[in-house]
Amino acid sequence: QVQLVESGGGLVQAGGSLRLSCAASGRTFSVYTMGWFRQAPGKEREFVAGISRSGGNTVYGNSVKGRFTISRVNALNTMYLRMNSLKPEDTAAYYCAARKMPSGDYISTEVADYDDWGQGTQVTVSS
């Protein structure tokens, strides 16, 4: 029901910063809980950050807490992930995900709970 397109990935040196964007289609962006996940080759997809429908609640994975910031602008159908103090361990394909939430503000950290996914954008951190 919603199409997602990520952008902003690239190559950055350790300690640097990047901002990822996720553009969503449609006129009902505000009914979706949104999240960022990442996946490195040979590893399972892991939760990075999530944000509630109105942006008032956020959740972060332990490995990125204090370094990454998730945000959204519903009027623009856009979600962001600001990544600071990047480490080589952050190297992965980053995916935007959406979960339909008719009510409630719970933010799931589980891949299986999300309904729609973007194509991914590669982030590579060099040392």
Side-chain angles (χ1 to χ4, degrees):
Q1 290 186 328
V2 60
Q3 296 182 45
L4 306 172
V5 179
E6 303 97 333
S7 62
L11 176 64
V12 64
Q13 292 183 332
S17 299
L18 284 174
R19 188 178 72 168
L20 306 183
S21 298
C22 173
S25 66
R27 301 177 181 177
T28 57
F29 183 60
S30 62
V31 308
Y32 292 94
T33 296
M34 301 295 297
W36 287 99
F37 293 77
R38 67 186 184 186
Q39 187 168 24
K43 298 184 178 180
E44 66 182 34
R45 192 165 297 188
E46 66 174 343
F47 175 79
V48 175
I51 188 166
S52 60
R53 294 172 298 169
S54 297
N57 189 28
T58 58
V59 175
Y60 295 92
N62 290 334
S63 63
V64 306
K65 193 169 186 177
R67 299 188 296 121
F68 292 9
T69 303
I70 189 171
S71 61
R72 66 193 294 168
V73 180
N74 287 347
L76 299 177
N77 287 359
T78 305
M79 177 181 66
Y80 304 95
L81 183 69
R82 179 67 179 182
M83 304 184 293
N84 294 326
S85 301
L86 283 162
K87 306 174 181 179
E89 306 94 275
D90 296 317
T91 296
Y94 283 71
Y95 296 89
C96 173
R99 186 189 188 194
K100 184 71 175 293
M101 294 289 289
S103 63
D105 294 314
Y106 174 74
I107 300 174
S108 173
T109 63
E110 297 295 322
V111 169
D113 286 338
Y114 286 79
D115 301 302
D116 298 287
W117 296 82
Q119 83 288 349
T121 185
Q122 179 67 35
V123 172
T124 302
V125 184
S126 64
S127 60

